[in-house]
Amino acid sequence: MYTTLKEVTRKAEELNYTVGAFNAHNLEMLPDMIRAAKEEGAPIIIQTSVDTAKYIGHENLVAVCKSMATKEMVDVVLHLDHARDFDDIKEAIDKGYTSVMFDGSHLPFKENIMKTCAVVEYAHKHGVSVEGELGTIGGTEEGIHVDDDKKVYTNPKDAVEFVRATRVDALAIAIGTNHGQYKSKTEVNIPLLKEIKAVVDVPLVIHGGTGVKEKDIHELIDNGIRKFNVGTELLVAWTKTAKETFAETKENKSLRHNIIPCNKAVKEIVKHKIEIFMNKSGHLNKVI
Ligand SMILES: [Zn+2]
């Protein structure tokens, strides 16, 4: 079913798992991402940046997600990641996305609340879910870099006020993760997550999931993380495989010989992550 973030995280809360939110960087990799979820019997959140949505075309993304959700009988959410501009959000909603993120984390607290409220009002009127963000996630995403000394952890008291005032459906929190991190791993601040979870009753979201140690994932799930973003790992795997396959094959060979292995590499990562996210017993022992 083509569905919303609110719906998939509600089920995840009931059964204590987290839903993988995977960034699609091109249209090629998208079908295999959804097939991976089907094979694991799990829901999936496909997310795109504003620029990727414009590159592929919102309508094309909506069409593929909708048709595959129906044909493959998988719960698929199409989510706009890190939008900062109301017009970009409105366009995604009007063209059929079922979930959007308004990232006002760089704004003063009151302004973040005010602008998030406007997004929630428009989105909810259209049956679309909203993710807000409080605190700053490190690293670089879509060319926006946050220096280590500018990183601000999410304040639990602010989180209570933010969720109450905005009525967001999910909250992205800053507990030490970084965008774009894949060579090293992050020390996530679990005590802070516990503090936030104790006072906030919406599903919580982890960004920069590629940099999270796999052995930490179950503790994050047990403390309310219901959406888990993975982007960089997919991008790196697709690009690495593409470099190899394109280098090896003749120029007049069908492109699919080069591209199918790239999509398969992405599919394997999505399946592997989903197995951990769905709390499948015994799996964690293998990855420590
Ligand atoms: Zn992010």
Side-chain angles (χ1 to χ4, degrees):
M1 192 179 163
Y2 186 57
T3 187
T4 63
L5 177 64
K6 188 174 182 175
E7 185 54 25
V8 293
T9 51
R10 184 187 62 75
K11 287 185 194 159
E13 179 68 33
E14 266 176 36
L15 298 173
N16 194 32
Y17 59 82
T18 193
V19 186
F22 300 95
N23 286 76
H25 299 275
N26 62 20
L27 199 50
E28 297 293 330
M29 65 171 73
L30 181 53
D32 269 331
M33 293 164 76
I34 297 176
R35 285 184 200 117
K38 182 200 166 70
E39 287 173 22
E40 294 296 330
I44 187 166
I45 299 161
I46 299 293
Q47 53 187 21
T48 72
S49 64
V50 170
D51 286 345
T52 300
K54 287 178 181 165
Y55 157 60
I56 298 174
H58 297 76
E59 292 93 341
N60 296 330
L61 284 155
V62 170
V64 173
C65 287
K66 263 190 187 173
S67 74
M68 287 196 71
T70 307
K71 183 169 161 265
E72 308 282 353
M73 291 190 292
V74 187
D75 282 342
V76 180
V77 175
L78 182 57
H79 174 86
L80 187 69
D81 197 20
H82 284 286
R84 291 186 167 191
D85 186 310
F86 185 83
D87 289 338
D88 289 332
I89 288 176
K90 187 175 176 298
E91 184 177 16
I93 293 171
D94 293 348
K95 289 182 172 169
Y97 275 55
T98 54
S99 179
V100 293
M101 175 188 192
F102 174 68
D103 177 1
S105 60
H106 56 294
L107 301 170
F109 183 59
K110 295 286 174 197
E111 197 179 343
N112 187 2
I113 288 183
M114 217 173 64
K115 292 195 166 163
T116 305
C117 277
V119 168
V120 169
E121 194 186 337
Y122 189 80
H124 284 184
K125 223 188 284 173
H126 292 78
V128 169
S129 309
V130 178
E131 174 186 337
E133 179 176 325
L134 211 48
T136 46
I137 292 147
T140 303
E141 183 154 301
E142 292 294 316
I144 300 167
H145 183 75
V146 177
D147 289 330
D148 271 1
D149 58 347
K150 299 264 166 48
K151 274 167 68 174
V152 181
Y153 281 7
T154 303
N155 176 319
K157 274 191 200 145
D158 288 349
V160 173
E161 190 183 340
F162 184 83
V163 168
R164 200 173 287 157
T166 60
R167 297 179 301 118
V168 286
D169 303 291
L171 179 66
I173 53 170
I175 55 169
T177 57
N178 301 298
H179 287 124
Q181 182 178 7
Y182 71 100
K183 285 184 175 156
S184 59
K185 293 293 174 192
T186 306
E187 288 304 325
V188 285
N189 189 337
I190 302 276
L192 176 59
L193 172 61
K194 285 180 195 269
E195 272 184 62
I196 297 167
K197 163 74 177 156
V199 293
V200 167
D201 63 356
V202 292
L204 302 174
V205 183
I206 277 284
H207 284 242
T210 297
V212 173
K213 293 174 200 153
E214 292 191 342
K215 69 180 177 64
D216 287 340
I217 292 176
H218 282 196
E219 201 167 9
L220 296 173
I221 294 171
D222 286 341
N223 288 289
I225 298 297
R226 300 293 166 222
K227 175 174 179 276
F228 201 108
N229 291 7
V230 179
T232 306
E233 205 169 337
L234 308 183
L235 180 64
V236 170
W238 205 95
T239 306
K240 268 189 177 169
T241 313
K243 280 184 173 179
E244 289 163 17
T245 56
F246 277 91
E248 281 166 9
T249 52
K250 286 188 180 156
E251 284 143 13
N252 63 351
K253 196 163 185 182
S254 169
L255 271 176
R256 70 175 179 279
H257 292 288
N258 298 332
I259 291 176
I260 288 171
C262 306
N263 299 337
K264 293 292 174 218
V266 164
K267 186 182 179 188
E268 288 312 309
I269 294 170
V270 173
K271 286 186 70 165
H272 173 72
K273 292 290 178 191
I274 287 177
E275 282 174 17
I276 305 172
F277 294 162
M278 297 300 283
N279 260 323
K280 286 189 176 166
S281 59
H283 188 86
L284 196 60
N285 296 334
K286 285 189 245 160
V287 298
I288 289 171

